Amino acid sequence: MTKIAMTSHRLSALSAEPTALKRADLLEGESSSETVVVAYHERTKHHFHRYAAALGYMDWATQPDPFRRYAGADLVRLPLPKAGCPLPYWQLYASATVPPVPLSLESVSLFFRYALSLTAWKQVGETKWPLRANPSSGNLHPTEGYALLPAVDQIGETAAVYHYAPREHALERRAALDAERWTELVGAFPDGSFLVGLSSVHWREAWKYGERAFRYCQHDVGHALAGLRIAAAALGWRLMLLNGVSNSTLSSLLGLDREEDFAGSEREEAELLVLITPGSMPLATDSKPLMAYKAGVLWQGMANMLSPEHGVAWPVIDEVAQATRRCESTPIKEDFSGFPSEDELFGTPVRQGLLSAEKAILGRRSAVAMDGSTSISRAAFFRMFARLIPTHERQGMPWDAIPWRPRIHLGLFVHRVDGLVPGLYVLVRDPDKIEILKRVMGSEFCWQRVPDCPPGLPLYLLKEGDCRALAITVSCGQDIAGDGAFSLAMIADYMDSLASYGASFYRNLFWEAGMVGQILYLEAEEAGIRATGIGCYFDDPVHAAFGIASREWQSFYHFTVGGPVDDGRLSTLPAYNFEEEQ
């Protein structure tokens, strides 16, 4: 029996006996990494009779600072890009039509402006809080961004490691890298390449959400990964996830393994590293592995403390983080030849739209309520989901940034789409999984192709009927799931992913879900409506709604799209005013 087959057999046995995974099991005894992941996922499910463990109230005295800073590090201010970039939104997805912009102070500034910056401040009374280009569960923002840049005029005379400070729209120089070290890092990549890393501060989410916080941190990494890819597309750049880099190497490259720089401060968990090339040439996936720094790099800056104290510890988050850390691995290579072409997904390729790229990216907002009446056209509905399918040419953005075939599929609660009957639908994002999902889901479903649907879009009606109450019920009773034009559950090909790629791929599943969510956010903006992610849902009742009895498939995220209801009490202020401190 092969290693993958043995792992699959062991995981199937675990998933068939959920009663064996009690709440205390995760921290007891010796367990495989995959077993820890399965135990964590079961333990952190919400149920009708019990929510996942959390504090249960907001301890405002220990609310984390949403901004990490490194005291003593040189701060490189990035000029605020001029508003009104003319690039149309649709052109983000037609990467070959966007001329690559040279790497410079201005292009680096625009990249971070579109990917990770503040987009506005909201205020009610004396209370004020920021919004960002990358959305976050509870607006808590556990994701931190880092850049490894070559020498760039007006940024630095040598290559260096930087931390991005979104409140200041600035780069904090953490370490300078000499020419030899920089060549060791990027010498195998095209000229002008640079690296961007993401990390998570688990405490920021755990403060509010307790043990389920690890899930939400990974959602946010996925949103940020898509945000990075979208920002790169706006500049004509390519981006590729370096999924073979180990967490320990990444931690070293970003300076996150330095105990002396985090004395008394909340640590960051290294998540992922991407390669960005200011050009349109395809990126190779078989370059030599990146290595941690040798001795001699001089670091500067001390991380700030985010909370004065932590009232409650959540050790299971540390356990699942440890279990899902990557070792150095061979890059994933999969076959996309069976996927549709752009013409098969869209009919006529989209070459016009309502918004500029800048308006869609910086104007993106999370709806806090839906009006319960707005409907959307079938054309907009089909276009949103066509954006979520990779093409066989591997040109579809952002899916060209990740090497694996889709593992996230969508169970849809359709309420108000012109020309479509309300009911349960499914979007199967990998054509090879259609027959598998037919067997996994309820036998009562009709699996009827949606009339007039583009031929390459695997969208199926499962069951007609008003499903608003069901959508609300399984989304923790939140009306927003039933008041939108539609809502959805992101169903992950869960056990097979762990068996095929190992426990570390648990993170990747959430990243993919977050990437799906980020595209839905922008597509909603382009359609003149709004979207929002829903992290609170009753896991197993969601599965039951789609007739899924096997625990090999699990719900990883919810989303809703529709007509927003604005809160008139809130004022909107500019993201940046460099004449005064925010």
Side-chain angles (χ1 to χ4, degrees):
M1 185 180 292
T2 66
K3 180 179 179 181
I4 287 180
M6 293 174 63
T7 302
S8 180
H9 177 76
R10 182 173 69 249
L11 292 177
S12 296
L14 278 171
S15 65
E17 300 180 44
T19 55
L21 299 169
K22 301 186 184 298
R23 292 179 61 78
D25 288 350
L26 189 54
L27 298 174
E28 294 180 358
E30 296 292 328
S31 299
S32 71
S33 295
E34 292 83 4
T35 302
V36 172
V37 165
V38 173
Y40 171 81
H41 196 78
E42 291 296 318
R43 173 185 179 123
T44 57
K45 287 182 174 180
H46 288 325
H47 299 276
F48 287 143
H49 61 281
R50 173 188 61 77
Y51 285 83
L55 192 59
Y57 63 91
M58 307 294 279
D59 181 9
W60 297 113
T62 62
Q63 182 180 13
D65 187 336
F67 298 113
R68 167 128 283 170
R69 288 295 308 275
Y70 287 92
D74 295 335
L75 189 69
V76 182
R77 294 273 188 181
L78 299 174
L80 197 61
K82 294 180 179 179
C85 178
L87 184 73
Y89 168 73
W90 65 261
Q91 204 167 359
L92 291 171
Y93 301 93
S95 57
T97 68
V98 181
V101 176
L103 191 62
S104 66
L105 174 68
E106 290 74 18
S107 61
V108 169
S109 176
L110 188 62
F111 173 77
F112 281 105
R113 179 76 173 112
Y114 284 174
L116 301 175
S117 76
L118 305 189
T119 56
W121 288 80
K122 290 290 186 178
Q123 184 168 5
V124 57
E126 297 299 316
T127 303
K128 188 169 72 168
W129 64 94
L131 307 180
R132 302 195 197 186
N134 55 313
S136 172
S137 302
N139 202 35
L140 296 170
H141 290 286
T143 311
E144 295 291 332
Y146 293 81
L148 289 80
L149 291 168
V152 177
D153 188 37
Q154 296 181 284
I155 293 181
E157 295 179 354
T158 65
V161 182
Y162 299 91
H163 170 252
Y164 177 64
R167 180 174 52 190
E168 294 77 13
H169 189 54
L171 295 174
E172 294 182 292
R173 187 180 294 108
R174 292 277 286 124
L177 304 176
D178 59 32
E180 180 181 355
R181 286 189 174 88
W182 182 248
T183 300
E184 288 176 353
L185 274 178
V186 301
F189 302 130
D191 290 344
S193 298
F194 66 99
L195 302 166
V196 173
L198 297 178
S199 67
S200 292
V201 182
H202 292 150
W203 166 244
R204 285 204 182 113
E205 291 289 326
W207 169 77
K208 179 178 181 180
Y209 295 115
E211 290 186 351
R212 199 170 165 101
F214 183 79
R215 298 184 180 208
Y216 300 156
C217 288
Q218 302 309 313
H219 285 154
D220 285 7
V221 170
H223 280 289
L225 173 57
L228 293 171
R229 179 64 189 101
I230 291 162
L235 291 156
W237 298 347
R238 296 295 299 265
L239 180 147
M240 181 181 71
L241 174 67
L242 300 177
N243 200 57
V245 178
S246 73
N247 285 77
S248 60
T249 295
L250 178 55
S251 187
S252 171
L253 293 176
L254 303 184
L256 304 181
D257 60 349
R258 294 177 50 76
E259 297 277 352
E260 59 270 41
D261 294 348
F262 290 86
S265 299
E266 294 82 356
R267 299 301 294 268
E268 298 177 24
E269 175 74 14
E271 296 286 3
L272 60 80
L273 189 70
V274 298
L275 169 69
I276 300 172
T277 299
S280 58
M281 294 296 292
L283 300 176
T285 59
D286 55 357
S287 301
K288 69 179 182 65
L290 297 180
M291 304 298 292
Y293 300 122
K294 298 175 183 177
V297 175
L298 180 62
W299 294 85
Q300 60 178 353
M302 290 286 294
N304 61 326
M305 185 177 295
L306 305 178
S307 292
E309 61 181 28
H310 297 188
V312 178
W314 304 104
V316 292
I317 294 177
D318 295 331
E319 290 286 317
V320 74
Q322 175 64 42
T324 55
R325 287 174 187 149
R326 292 181 307 281
C327 299
E328 303 288 351
S329 62
T330 302
I332 296 171
K333 294 184 179 181
E334 296 194 328
D335 180 16
F336 286 80
S337 61
F339 281 74
S341 66
E342 183 184 14
D343 289 348
E344 291 172 318
L345 286 171
F346 295 96
T348 302
V350 178
R351 294 295 184 267
Q352 60 183 1
L354 297 176
L355 301 179
S356 68
E358 183 169 283
K359 179 65 175 176
I361 294 168
L362 301 183
R364 183 214 60 81
R365 301 286 184 269
S366 297
V368 295
M370 299 292 188
D371 60 17
S373 60
T374 296
S375 63
I376 65 172
S377 69
R378 278 191 304 173
F381 186 72
F382 293 156
R383 186 188 66 237
M384 286 182 185
F385 294 121
R387 293 292 189 206
L388 304 179
I389 307 295
T391 63
H392 67 73
E393 305 98 333
R394 299 291 286 123
Q395 296 297 315
M397 192 280 301
W399 313 114
D400 59 348
I402 58 176
W404 63 89
R405 294 164 66 111
R407 291 277 171 165
I408 297 292
H409 309 277
L410 308 186
L412 302 167
F413 305 89
V414 174
H415 310 314
R416 283 172 296 278
V417 177
D418 297 339
L420 265 63
V421 295
L424 295 180
Y425 291 72
V426 64
L427 179 75
V428 185
R429 297 180 59 241
D430 183 337
D432 283 358
K433 296 300 172 73
I434 294 172
E435 294 304 319
I436 295 173
L437 278 169
K438 283 182 178 180
R439 294 194 296 269
V440 167
M441 290 184 168
S443 59
E444 74 276 15
F445 293 143
C446 66
W447 282 84
Q448 177 184 322
R449 282 276 298 175
V450 174
D452 301 324
C453 183
L457 189 62
L459 181 64
Y460 297 87
L461 169 67
L462 299 179
K463 182 179 180 180
E464 292 187 18
D466 186 340
C467 56
R468 289 175 295 179
L470 176 61
I472 292 169
T473 297
V474 298
S475 294
C476 296
Q478 298 175 85
D479 289 341
I480 199 169
D483 288 342
F486 66 88
S487 63
L488 57 88
M490 301 189 193
I491 310 296
D493 190 355
Y494 169 59
M495 289 293 184
D496 184 69
S497 296
L498 299 183
S500 298
Y501 302 121
S504 65
F505 203 81
Y506 185 59
R507 301 192 193 200
N508 297 50
L509 292 173
F510 285 108
W511 299 349
E512 186 181 332
M515 294 176 75
V516 167
Q518 191 70 4
I519 295 303
L520 288 175
Y521 264 127
L522 297 192
E523 283 295 305
E525 295 291 328
E526 169 69 1
I529 49 180
R530 284 268 153 87
T532 196
I534 300 175
C536 185
Y537 53 85
F538 296 117
D539 298 61
D540 290 337
V542 173
H543 307 146
F546 290 95
I548 298 174
S550 169
R551 289 179 180 266
E552 294 191 0
W553 295 77
Q554 295 286 303
S555 184
F556 266 55
Y557 199 9
H558 277 211
F559 231 77
T560 186
V561 178
V565 176
D566 294 327
D567 189 338
R569 299 171 300 171
L570 302 183
S571 300
T572 302
L573 306 174
Y576 296 103
N577 183 349
F578 291 138
E579 298 302 317
E580 57 180 298
E581 291 293 325
Q582 295 285 1

